[in-house]
Amino acid sequence: MRIPSTLLNRICSPVLPARLTLLFVLALGILAYFPGLSGPFLFDDYVNIVWNNFNRVETLDYSELRDAAFSGPGSTSIPRPLSRLSFGLNYYFSGGQLDAFAFKVSNLVIHLVNALLVYLLSGMLLSRLRRGPGSAASMMQVSGPWSWFPVVVTAIWLLHPIQLSSVLYVVQRMNTLAAFFSLAGVSLYVAGRTRLEAGRPFAMVLMFCGLGGATVLGFSAKENAALTPLFALLVEFLCFRRDTLAPGARHWVGALFAVSLFIPMLLVLVYVLSHPEFIGDLYLAREFGLAERLLTESRILFFYLSLVFFPSLRSFGLFHEDIPLSLGLFTPWSTALSLFALVVLLLFALRSLRRNNVLAFAILWYLCGHSMESSFIALEITHEHRNYLPLYGVFFALAYFLFHWIEVSGKARRRLPLLIILVIGVLGFLTHVRANIWGNIESFVYFSARNHPDSYRAQYQLGNFHDDQRHDVRLTFKAYQRASAANPAFISGLVRMQRLSNGLLIDITSDKLQSDAKVPIVGELDILHVDLVLDPEYLSRLGRGIGTELERRLREERVNAETFYGMEELERCLLARLDYCASAPKVLGWYATLLKREHMSSAQRSDFLASVAKIHGSKGNFPQALEYADRAVRANPGKAEWQVLHASFLIENGKFERAEAVLSGLEERPGLQGIFAREARFLRQQIPVPRAQDQGE
């Protein structure tokens, strides 16, 4: 039987083995990440998933799905409904369990799908660069060694160890989902733009879906997706020429970018300039100011690139707050050098992009990708997952120059397979090793603390691990000491140190634990560096010293998110009535010190006031509890949780009419989450019928 020539050509085409190799790369990605799928939830996973009861979707009822989509306790002011809904569905389809393995598998699947989009987009861009304007966006047009180019870009992007935290750190599904829509959006734009140039139908539909639909859907996963039109604009400058379009088509392209990019940018700029407190209030919760952040980020951008080109496993990590802040242009001196290099690279890229300069494209894609999370917004300074999509341009350029060198050297066919195997093998091995580290809590904690000894979070995490595993109490105490010494504003380490000293003192005085030999105590104890001695007098003085340092930090150091977490731990300990907690009067005194501070956002103040209300309520001091709950509502009237708290203490104080009014106002809110609606109904049942007159009104 004669084989049709078209089929024979496809079988013999170099594109087919390249695509088969793509399947091998995807399989290698699964193998590389597989050891890490058994790892635990980490860090912000707890706030967003583990401790977020709205994610516990028990049925596919609309109200439960809505609650899951619009939940977000304390993590962000923007709901990110698509990402949060995916967490709720993960819980539901995992049999109603918080199974970290199932959540991480979902993340890996998204990463693999994104890799396919990287392959598709890389082929489309290469086709434009190799064939020029007027060619169709098909990877089949690229022949010879260049047919392997999209596979190599995909392999680097998929397997580079810097991408690992985006996959195995569950909450970063927000980031990978946003990247999915950005990659899909840019791909749709390129396909539509090519059709527009060729005069083919549905061109503007594809372009609108890419810059409009994909951006909106991606924004519901994470705000980074708003950069999709900016990425598309870079592709427009790199791969297309406006003079090949009819005048009407040029106007449509310009209008599309105006609506999707320039007008939204202008509106954001106007809002920020007219509401300076929007930025200022965010910095109240950080240990750095706007100038310090911008200066430091200039260095961090090059730090990320160092991880790309010199991927040492010791340099990677979930926590990088051990990198010192830039306090001025020359403090440290590398700040000025980084700023100068950024300016030079930016000027070069802006001048060269129109000349099909792939290096300029890589520079601008990288900088545009970081323009949201690594600029003026008061986010934390450093996180590896921020490179998930920005590094695509860098990897594209690396592969492009590699293939160009092979082409001009005349030794392409002999060197190409070896280079591909080398790149895939090295990156896959590094990611596999790193995934093994992330695969269980013990190895993750020890590697984090060893590789980042000045990271207060890494040391605090190590202390928590020792505590959970009931390891030697001295190891636990020492880890908390290092955490407290590494950050002068960090109080959670001090809270844990005092909890340990109180618990040990109780065990020794009740003869549950044998004390050490007495040691002479001269002067005040240096609580951040002394050894732990199991002696009652020593532990008493140590506890007092810890309390004094904790109060000093609350009085003098910047109030930030870590302050809230430390105080919340004190509150939870008291509400649980654990015997090793600090006493209620002492904790309330610390809250009083904190609430005297002036530089604090209204949201922060309301959280602290609500905590004081809960502590008073747990002690039966309902008039004081009502006073602080009322102040919490006035500080942050939009928070439904505090409205419920306020109503509960109104009922406890017999002010039923006011409680009725608060509950009625709460129930009238559009889109009130189900848990608050249920609590409001429960509280309403506590109001006597007929209702007594509100005393004191």
Side-chain angles (χ1 to χ4, degrees):
M1 185 178 68
R2 185 181 180 84
I3 301 176
S5 60
T6 54
L7 178 61
L8 187 62
N9 288 338
R10 288 197 175 192
I11 294 174
C12 297
S13 168
V15 176
L16 184 61
R19 289 176 176 172
L20 292 175
T21 305
L22 174 65
L23 296 178
F24 170 75
V25 168
L26 295 177
L28 189 61
I30 295 173
L31 292 175
Y33 280 98
F34 187 79
L37 300 180
S38 58
F41 289 111
L42 300 166
F43 195 42
D44 278 348
D45 289 343
Y46 284 91
V47 174
N48 288 279
I49 301 170
V50 179
W51 297 336
N52 183 4
N53 291 327
F54 296 117
N55 282 329
R56 311 293 174 87
V57 174
E58 302 289 349
T59 67
L60 297 181
D61 181 72
Y62 169 76
S63 61
E64 284 202 43
L65 296 177
R66 183 197 64 192
D67 285 355
F70 291 95
S71 65
S75 58
T76 177
S77 59
I78 300 178
R80 300 177 181 174
L82 189 60
S83 297
R84 298 190 187 282
L85 177 61
S86 76
F87 296 144
L89 292 175
N90 239 143
Y91 177 84
Y92 176 81
F93 288 109
S94 299
Q97 295 182 341
L98 286 170
D99 182 1
F101 179 84
F103 280 78
K104 290 173 190 269
V105 167
S106 300
N107 280 20
L108 179 56
V109 170
I110 295 170
H111 187 49
L112 295 173
V113 172
N114 285 346
L116 291 174
L117 288 174
V118 165
Y119 176 79
L120 175 66
L121 180 60
S122 299
M124 296 168 77
L125 296 183
L126 178 66
S127 177
R128 297 294 312 185
L129 290 171
R130 299 286 291 176
R131 292 299 182 92
S135 63
S138 169
M139 287 177 286
M140 290 295 293
Q141 295 177 345
V142 181
S143 59
W146 283 97
S147 62
W148 294 85
F149 173 83
V151 178
V152 174
V153 176
T154 304
I156 298 173
W157 186 88
L158 176 72
L159 295 171
H160 199 290
I162 199 172
Q163 304 286 48
L164 182 134
S165 64
S166 295
V167 180
L168 298 183
Y169 183 18
V170 176
V171 75
Q172 289 314 315
R173 181 181 305 173
M174 298 175 178
N175 192 37
T176 56
L177 275 177
F180 166 79
F181 287 105
S182 290
L183 289 167
V186 176
S187 298
L188 285 171
Y189 176 81
V190 174
R193 182 65 173 81
T194 303
R195 294 178 72 90
L196 184 67
E197 195 173 72
R200 300 171 66 185
F202 304 110
M204 288 304 303
V205 172
L206 290 173
M207 294 166 67
F208 178 79
C209 289
L211 300 195
T215 300
V216 171
L217 289 171
F219 194 89
S220 70
K222 193 176 180 181
E223 304 77 62
N224 301 45
L227 299 173
T228 304
L230 189 57
F231 289 134
L233 184 64
L234 293 179
V235 171
E236 172 71 27
F237 280 110
L238 177 72
C239 297
F240 297 97
R241 289 171 49 192
R242 297 193 67 190
D243 57 10
T244 62
L245 295 176
R250 285 202 297 269
H251 293 321
W252 277 111
V253 172
L256 184 59
F257 279 110
V259 171
S260 64
L261 179 61
F262 299 121
I263 293 177
M265 285 177 62
L266 181 61
L267 292 175
V268 170
L269 180 62
V270 169
Y271 181 84
V272 170
L273 293 178
S274 60
H275 297 79
E277 71 280 359
F278 173 74
I279 298 298
D281 285 352
L282 294 176
Y283 277 97
L284 291 175
R286 296 298 180 192
E287 62 274 14
F288 48 81
L290 175 59
E292 292 169 333
R293 174 176 172 77
L294 292 176
L295 290 172
T296 307
E297 287 295 348
S298 68
R299 294 165 40 229
I300 298 303
L301 291 175
F302 287 102
F303 167 71
Y304 292 146
L305 292 176
S306 73
L307 295 179
V308 171
F309 293 104
F310 308 101
S312 167
L313 292 178
R314 289 180 174 272
S315 301
F316 290 109
L318 182 59
F319 307 118
H320 288 288
E321 75 279 0
D322 49 343
I323 298 176
L325 293 171
S326 291
L327 305 179
L329 274 175
F330 299 99
T331 311
W333 63 268
S334 55
T335 305
L337 182 62
S338 298
L339 281 172
F340 176 76
L342 279 178
V343 171
V344 170
L345 289 174
L346 184 60
L347 291 176
F348 162 79
L350 291 174
R351 288 174 58 88
S352 306
L353 183 61
R354 263 301 188 187
R355 298 195 292 269
N356 284 17
N357 190 304
V358 174
L359 179 59
F361 170 75
I363 293 169
L364 290 175
W365 184 287
Y366 179 69
L367 295 180
C368 288
H370 279 288
S371 61
M372 184 175 291
E373 290 187 299
S374 299
S375 60
F376 65 91
I377 302 175
L379 302 173
E380 294 190 5
I381 296 291
T382 315
H383 275 301
E384 292 170 16
H385 61 255
R386 292 176 185 166
N387 293 277
Y388 187 73
L389 189 54
L391 281 177
Y392 169 71
V394 176
F395 294 150
F396 184 93
L398 281 175
Y400 190 88
F401 293 131
L402 171 64
F403 275 76
H404 180 70
W405 170 74
I406 292 173
E407 185 178 51
V408 298
S409 71
K411 301 177 181 179
R413 296 189 182 278
R414 183 163 55 88
R415 294 182 178 179
L416 183 59
L418 179 62
L419 285 171
I420 292 176
I421 293 172
L422 182 64
V423 169
I424 292 176
V426 170
L427 294 180
F429 173 75
L430 290 174
T431 299
H432 183 76
V433 172
R434 196 177 178 205
N436 269 291
I437 295 171
W438 282 56
N440 70 81
I441 186 62
E442 183 173 5
S443 61
F444 176 81
V445 164
Y446 277 117
F447 270 88
S448 297
R450 188 193 70 180
N451 294 338
H452 298 275
D454 296 325
S455 164
Y456 71 91
R457 284 177 177 154
Q459 300 305 322
Y460 181 70
Q461 180 182 245
L462 177 62
N464 289 344
F465 176 73
H466 285 317
D467 194 25
D468 292 341
Q469 299 298 317
R470 299 292 188 268
H471 291 166
D472 187 337
V473 70
R474 290 176 176 83
L475 292 176
T476 308
F477 189 82
K478 187 60 69 175
Y480 289 142
Q481 274 185 318
R482 289 195 296 267
S484 301
N487 184 346
F490 184 58
I491 67 168
S492 293
L494 295 176
V495 170
R496 290 296 181 99
M497 287 167 63
Q498 187 172 69
R499 194 180 77 176
L500 281 176
S501 64
N502 288 349
L504 291 171
L505 184 59
I506 292 171
D507 288 345
I508 290 174
T509 53
S510 61
D511 294 328
K512 294 181 181 178
L513 187 67
Q514 185 176 358
S515 63
D516 294 335
K518 285 185 174 293
V519 295
I521 305 174
V522 180
E524 295 296 326
L525 293 176
D526 181 0
I527 62 156
L528 298 180
H529 300 97
V530 296
D531 292 328
L532 182 64
V533 179
L534 306 185
D535 171 68
E537 182 183 354
Y538 186 93
L539 291 171
S540 296
R541 294 190 59 175
L542 180 62
R544 290 195 297 271
I546 294 170
T548 300
E549 173 62 14
L550 197 156
E551 183 166 2
R552 184 200 68 77
R553 294 189 179 194
L554 294 176
R555 185 176 60 251
E556 299 176 5
E557 301 293 345
R558 187 186 290 264
V559 179
N560 55 32
E562 298 292 356
T563 311
F564 170 76
Y565 293 134
M567 298 305 292
E568 186 181 46
E569 181 163 352
L570 288 169
E571 173 207 325
R572 287 201 306 266
C573 194
L574 281 175
L575 297 183
R577 303 181 185 278
L578 301 175
D579 55 2
Y580 49 70
C581 300
S583 66
K586 185 176 292 185
V587 174
L588 290 171
W590 290 334
Y591 271 108
T593 299
L594 192 57
L595 290 168
K596 291 176 184 177
R597 301 287 297 272
E598 295 181 358
H599 297 290
M600 189 187 307
S601 69
S602 57
Q604 287 177 313
R605 191 172 297 277
S606 75
D607 289 343
F608 295 135
L609 289 167
S611 293
V612 175
K614 293 176 188 176
I615 293 172
H616 278 301
S618 71
K619 300 300 179 182
N621 303 325
F622 296 121
Q624 294 94 328
L626 177 57
E627 174 193 348
Y628 280 96
D630 186 64
R631 290 172 62 187
V633 168
R634 281 186 275 120
N636 190 2
K639 191 161 185 175
E641 185 178 354
W642 300 161
Q643 296 280 1
V644 171
L645 184 71
H646 188 210
S648 69
F649 288 130
L650 283 169
I651 293 171
E652 292 288 356
N653 283 274
K655 299 182 181 295
F656 302 123
E657 288 188 358
R658 286 182 60 192
E660 176 77 29
V662 170
L663 293 173
S664 296
L666 188 63
E667 291 170 336
E668 290 171 2
R669 287 190 182 185
L672 180 68
Q673 289 174 316
I675 189 170
F676 295 131
R678 290 191 293 272
E679 289 186 12
R681 288 195 296 270
F682 172 78
L683 288 175
R684 192 181 292 282
Q685 294 170 2
Q686 311 308 307
I687 300 176
V689 179
R691 300 182 183 87
Q693 288 295 321
D694 188 352
Q695 302 298 318
E697 289 296 309

